[in-house]
């Protein structure tokens, strides 16, 4: 997540307020990280494993991100302390 680009303050502020367009933009910003966290190894019939995204896990992580938005420390971001 080191290379993750955080959305602009205005977008986060709107997402915290519950504006749908902003929530979608925040989720899109973190799409790669959500996909990484929801990738699991699935054993194949031949005994090998294949990396696949678990859709239930992806939805759960996305839901948790959306639920956590209202607790985002906007005051800290305004002071320049959130990265």
């Amino acid at each position: 997540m080191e290379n993750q680009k955080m959305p602009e303050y205005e977008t986060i502020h709107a997402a915290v307020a519950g504006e749908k367009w902003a929530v979608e933009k925040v989720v899109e910003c973190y799409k790669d990280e959500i996909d990484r966290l929801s990738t699991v190894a699935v054993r194949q019939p031949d005994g090998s494993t294949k990396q696949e995204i678990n859709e239930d896990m992806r939805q759960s992580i996305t839901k948790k991100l959306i639920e956590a938005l209202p607790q985002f420390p906007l005051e800290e971001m305004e002071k320049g302390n959130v990265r």
Side-chain angles (χ1 to χ4, degrees):
M1 204 160 125
E2 302 93 30
N3 297 331
Q4 195 73 41
K5 184 175 185 263
M6 182 177 266
E8 306 84 34
Y9 172 80
E10 293 79 17
T11 302
I12 293 175
H13 189 270
V16 168
E19 293 189 36
K20 186 177 178 182
W21 69 268
V23 171
E24 291 172 355
K25 197 167 184 180
V26 169
V27 170
E28 180 61 31
C29 180
Y30 290 100
K31 181 189 176 306
D32 291 342
E33 184 66 9
I34 292 168
D35 287 350
R36 186 188 70 75
L37 292 170
S38 60
T39 299
V40 295
V42 177
R43 185 165 302 280
Q44 301 298 301
D46 66 359
S48 64
T49 58
K50 179 181 176 184
Q51 299 293 317
E52 293 181 2
I53 293 176
N54 180 305
E55 290 299 327
D56 291 335
M57 192 180 298
R58 178 195 270 169
Q59 289 178 357
S60 176
I61 293 168
T62 301
K63 181 180 175 186
K64 287 179 184 181
L65 171 63
I66 293 168
E67 289 172 349
L69 283 172
Q71 288 82 40
F72 188 88
L74 286 175
E75 303 82 26
E76 294 294 319
M77 189 174 192
E78 290 167 358
K79 295 176 189 173
N81 296 333
V82 174
R83 295 181 200 176

